Amino acid sequence: TPEVADSGNVSSQQVLDELFAPGHDKGSCLSRYEFVVYRKPSSHKPSPYLLSKLRKYESLHKLCGPFTESYNKTLEQLKSGRNVSTTDCNYVVYTPLSGLGNRMLTIASAFLYALLTNRVLLVEFGSEIAGLFCEPFQQTTLLLPMDFPLRSQFDNFSQVYPRTYGNMLKSGIINTSMMSPPPPFLYIYLAYDIDRYDGLFYCDQNQDQLRKVPWFYRAYLSKADERIGIQVRVFDTKVTPFQTVVDQILSCTIKEKLLPDVLEKRSSAASLSKNQSLKAVLVTSLYSEYYEHIKGVYWTKPTVSGEVIGVYQPSHEEHELYGNNMHSMKAWTEIYLLSMSNALITSSWSTFGYVAQSLGGLKPWILYSPLNGTAPDPPCVRAMSMEPCFHFPPSHGCKAEVNVGHVKHCEDVEWGLKLV
Ligand code: GDP
């Protein structure tokens, strides 16, 4: 077992021991126990309320998880297609959409939803992320069994599937005031293009109604002295000029004093400099040009401060691939490495970056996308919090006010919402 640094009164190891139920086989998931060695201690401690919810959830998952008596019984009801009375075991099944960042974020959201509504979360992973994550609970699984009866219908799940919660509300098959007996399952469509009916899922009144449904589906969802992570996500290379993005990144790092400027001519002032510290810059991108250019700047010229800058990029995949395990592994490694930075620069609109910042507890500097080929001024802005941005909150809110208290509009998506 690695030695773990203390943070204030509580060591990272103690936090870990609290988060996971005792008796875990450490060898089954080394990264879970060893990550504390590589990360600086977090100032974010789990609350007693969260810990008690986690313990309750673990018991529930053990009682209702795959292949238990309760699970088998609920499956029978599901197969029969009959409307049912509420059982002790209610479930939320997660089906994936989009890239790895989106998946990690939406699995975390689905888990929070399960925790708050006393449901058991079962996750459909897909082979591309097989082996990338550990099972969180002992003697049970989070994975949706292969013989799950509705699996054959997954391909039909989309916004137009007649049995989405939104479509059933729209067509009057169900309404908020009356739903008894509840249907055996509902499909909740929550992707980026939700309409006002799908969005009613987020309202308290509708959640009261959903509590009665036993199943439904939730779609988606070195050695350096200092490490700087730069995540360059260019969604459309045709309309985003390479040079504009590179200039934007360098003006951001210099303006925010994350990286030193370089001397155009080699001078004795630089070589005599007192500051010989080493900064490692990790560039992640689907493309190699950004890394090549930034590396070139620090490779060929001395820095004004005398600091030595090393620039690295683990991979450049060129294209997003779906269904490829090695591609996902590289993406996960890069998200993980970015999250271990001391300072992080991310690209606006990217869930890949959101996951890295949240994992690392970091408030990143966000690079806005260039508009009409011109870099924005200022080149980057500091995020208000480490939280991700919810890009498509329901447009017809639940009579709740936004931009108040702990919920604000995002820095990078003006209609998006985030916790601060
Ligand atoms: P988003 O599209 O940026 O919001 O984030 P996602 O992570 O959901 O989807 C992007 C996908 O593209 C990832 O899962 C990766 O497969 C790939 N990708 C994007 N940027 C990078 C990168 O910097 N490195 C690697 N290895 N893959 C990337």
Side-chain angles (χ1 to χ4, degrees), residues 98-103 231-233 235 284-286 315 317 320-322 327 330-331 334 349-352:
S98 305
L100 190 66
N102 274 279
R103 287 176 194 218
Q231 182 235 356
V232 193
R233 181 82 167 106
F235 288 97
T284 74
S285 170
L286 284 170
S315 81
E317 293 285 281
E320 276 179 52
L321 298 175
Y322 290 103
H327 178 75
K330 288 180 187 166
E334 288 175 32
W349 272 95
S350 174
T351 318
F352 194 94

